[in-house]
Amino acid sequence: MTATTPRAGQAAATGRGEPETSAPERARELLRRGFGLIGPRHPRHSVTVDQLDTLALPVADDGVVIGVDAERRPAVLGLNRPLPYDVVLIGGLWTVQVIALRAAATGTRVAVETARAQAWMPMVHAMGGGQNGMAVYDVGRVPPLGASAGTPVLVVRDCGMRPPRGRVVSGPWQSVLTLLPYVSPVAPRLVRQARLVGIQRVSPDEAAELGRTMALTRAEVDSLPGLSDGLTLWCTDRDRQYVMAQPTDAETGLLGAPRRMD
């Protein structure tokens, strides 16, 4: 019995008695089943263990870009955290508003507690009248906000030199940013409770008091009275970093140029 060779276009029989389909037929079957197109084939990208040390990946914490550091690298403030996080800024309204605006742009709900709503309403109107992540409340009138990992919240307290104890405090996924225009009698308590403290230009006496409260170096204390507009010294328990704010054209059009005084 002589073997026969399949003609062109005729499927060959497999060992299981089923016809063997051609490559075009298999591609059509994949498309019919919804697997999509078959892409080009490329060799795998791989490196040796010795080559790993040559890789430099710009990986850092996520958050809000609040300016640039001394090396002109972006300075990022991570506000959305699973643990309570309190921030105090001794400085001007402009810097707090930039932080609030950028936080809202990243999807964080911003609740502003203030006695000067007129200073915040242009931002609220620019963002759609409170429908896009920012709302303003009178002092002591901030309701429970229901913060969660999916809907993080930033509470901005713009309540003057002696802010009352807030009804809404920091918690999981709910950070609190308190603005103090100057070093007031309540400043030492708020600074000690905060995880992060920002200091803008202050008087020499205020700088000396902050130096004692926060264990600043002599060079840091001496620099505070001469800080330029938009420059902030951000401090944690272990780290210090000078950050210069760099507003976008849209932020400058809405808020004006960086300034320490309101």
Side-chain angles (χ1 to χ4, degrees), residues 79 96-97 99-113 120 123-124 127 130 132-137 142 145 152-157 175 177:
L79 292 169
V96 168
Q97 288 185 326
I99 295 174
L101 193 64
R102 295 180 180 183
T106 62
T108 301
R109 289 190 295 143
V110 179
V112 181
E113 181 182 9
W120 288 89
M123 286 181 57
V124 176
M127 296 182 62
N132 292 317
M134 182 175 292
V136 176
Y137 303 92
V142 181
L145 298 168
V153 173
L154 171 63
V155 179
V156 177
R157 306 201 70 212
S175 299
L177 169 57

Side-chain angles (χ1 to χ4, degrees), residues 74-230:
V76 178
L77 173 58
L79 292 169
N80 301 331
R81 299 168 181 257
L83 298 175
Y85 194 68
D86 287 280
V87 182
V88 171
L89 175 66
I90 302 171
L93 178 65
W94 185 91
T95 301
V96 168
Q97 288 185 326
V98 168
I99 295 174
L101 193 64
R102 295 180 180 183
T106 62
T108 301
R109 289 190 295 143
V110 179
V112 181
E113 181 182 9
T114 181
R116 47 176 175 176
Q118 72 281 357
W120 288 89
M121 292 314 297
M123 286 181 57
V124 176
H125 293 318
M127 296 182 62
Q131 301 301 313
N132 292 317
M134 182 175 292
V136 176
Y137 303 92
D138 292 333
V139 177
R141 298 296 183 89
V142 181
L145 298 168
S148 67
T151 56
V153 173
L154 171 63
V155 179
V156 177
R157 306 201 70 212
D158 174 29
C159 306
M161 293 182 63
R162 295 174 180 265
R165 295 184 182 272
R167 293 173 52 192
V168 178
V169 298
S170 62
W173 306 111
Q174 179 167 295
S175 299
V176 175
L177 169 57
T178 301
L179 172 65
L180 296 178
Y182 301 102
V183 179
S184 66
V186 302
R189 173 178 60 83
L190 293 175
V191 166
R192 285 192 293 268
Q193 294 175 348
R195 300 279 300 277
L196 178 69
V197 178
I199 309 171
Q200 296 186 317
R201 187 170 61 247
V202 294
S203 69
D205 290 342
E206 291 174 302
E209 183 174 349
L210 289 171
R212 292 189 294 269
T213 303
M214 302 177 60
L216 300 178
T217 66
R218 170 51 57 186
E220 291 165 346
V221 170
D222 292 342
S223 73
L224 294 179
L227 295 182
S228 60
D229 289 341

Side-chain angles (χ1 to χ4, degrees), residues 55-63 73-74 76:
L55 297 179
L57 304 179
V59 178
D61 293 337
D62 60 345
R73 296 173 303 189
V76 178

Side-chain angles (χ1 to χ4, degrees), residues 47-71:
V47 295
T48 65
V49 174
D50 295 335
Q51 292 172 321
L52 288 175
D53 292 336
T54 66
L55 297 179
L57 304 179
V59 178
D61 293 337
D62 60 345
V64 177
V65 177
I66 58 174
V68 295
D69 61 17
E71 286 74 36

